[in-house]
Amino acid sequence: MGRVLALITAVAALTVAAPAVPHAEAATPCPGRLAKTVSFSTGELRVYERGDYACAVTFAKRPGARRSMSVSLQPRGGRAANDSGRFTRQAGPVTVHALNRCVRATGSVSGVSRSTGWILC
């Protein structure tokens, strides 16, 4: 009986002392507020804004297998930030300085792509 009580006490102490593990889906890859979401058959493009910066990421609808993915974010009159390759879950995030400038984002998963057009103007 003493051993059982000691085991229960030890398990209870470890349960209370163990740190909480955050869910991966709860974390956002970009800081700031979600400004635009563009869904398409194989994925989703998300654009965030925070202060003078914009950030974009492309997610696969069905993560798992490696596939061709890309994300591009361009401020009007500036150079685009790009991330492309064979990924399992997401391409990006990419960030650009966008103070008083519109931005255009493009995302692609498995050859299917979508763009936001000029936004955050």
Side-chain angles (χ1 to χ4, degrees):
M1 182 69 168
R3 286 184 179 175
V4 172
L5 185 56
L7 180 62
I8 291 172
T9 303
V11 169
L14 287 175
T15 302
V16 172
V21 176
H23 293 291
E25 293 130 14
T28 59
C30 293
R33 76 169 187 87
L34 181 61
K36 182 82 171 178
T37 301
V38 178
S39 293
F40 49 100
S41 62
T42 56
E44 185 175 85
L45 170 65
R46 295 182 195 165
V47 180
Y48 296 81
E49 69 174 327
R50 180 178 177 196
D52 300 345
Y53 292 88
C55 179
V57 63
T58 300
F59 290 99
K61 278 233 168 120
R62 295 189 181 144
R66 287 197 177 276
R67 72 203 79 181
S68 175
M69 296 179 66
S70 68
V71 64
S72 174
L73 183 62
Q74 178 183 11
R76 185 170 276 171
R79 297 183 74 181
N82 301 293
D83 185 29
S84 63
R86 295 185 55 78
F87 304 111
T88 59
R89 183 174 189 272
Q90 74 183 50
V94 293
T95 303
V96 296
H97 188 261
L99 178 64
N100 299 323
R101 294 193 282 179
C102 304
V103 296
R104 176 177 51 199
T106 302
S108 172
V109 178
S110 299
V112 179
S113 66
R114 292 293 179 268
S115 180
T116 61
W118 293 109
I119 59 172
L120 307 180
C121 298

